[in-house]
Amino acid sequence: MESLKVINKEKLKDWAKEIFKKNTFNMIDVSSKKETFRRALASGKIYVGKEVFNLIKNKGMPKGDPITLAEVSAVLGVKKTSELIPLCHPLPIDHIATKIVMHDEEASLEVFCVVSAVAKTGVEMEAIMGVNTALITIYDLSKIVNPHLRIDNVKLLIKEGGKSGLWTNPDGLPEFLKDIF
């Protein structure tokens, strides 16, 4: 037992930081953070053109209803985020909801995805991934009719929880949120 050397936690912590701080990539160390309620809302749009828009509205798309499948895809995207984004922590997701709003005047579909968890790190990437997978699903089901599609303006709208508290996008929020914030 004489050969055992006792190292206090601080020295071990400093030792690990010293060796690994020079790495190019690091998953942020959240081991000392407290779990708190986290929630994020993201959005994005896809412009599909009048023909596709009318087919979606009238449930006439050749491959099936893009809205329903996009909502399912958003859930799968959220759940797979840490598998696709290399430095993203896997999180115990508590809630996912997706809303897709159709805009006649510009022949677009706007996707909103909210994600919440009680975790040590935020769920922003999960919300953004939910939006992206929904948009790409709509793209995939629509390209057969019109390959001239455009995905645009994917962004984080709101995040809350953790040390920084509530953050809202400085570029503004959609009308339906303006009464709340």
Side-chain angles (χ1 to χ4, degrees), residues 71-86:
E71 289 172 346
V72 172
S73 179
V75 171
L76 294 174
V78 168
K79 292 165 95 176
K80 296 284 187 181
T81 301
S82 67
E83 294 176 32
L84 298 170
I85 308 297

Side-chain angles (χ1 to χ4, degrees), residues 33-49:
K33 291 175 81 177
K34 299 262 188 265
E35 288 186 343
T36 62
F37 177 75
R38 314 290 184 126
R39 184 166 39 196
L41 173 66
S43 69
K45 264 188 187 177
I46 183 166
Y47 297 86
V48 295

Side-chain angles (χ1 to χ4, degrees), residues 126-144:
E126 287 74 9
I128 291 168
M129 184 63 77
V131 167
N132 276 301
T133 53
L135 290 168
I136 292 167
T137 298
I138 294 167
Y139 192 109
D140 181 47
L141 296 178
S142 301
K143 71 183 191 297
I144 190 171

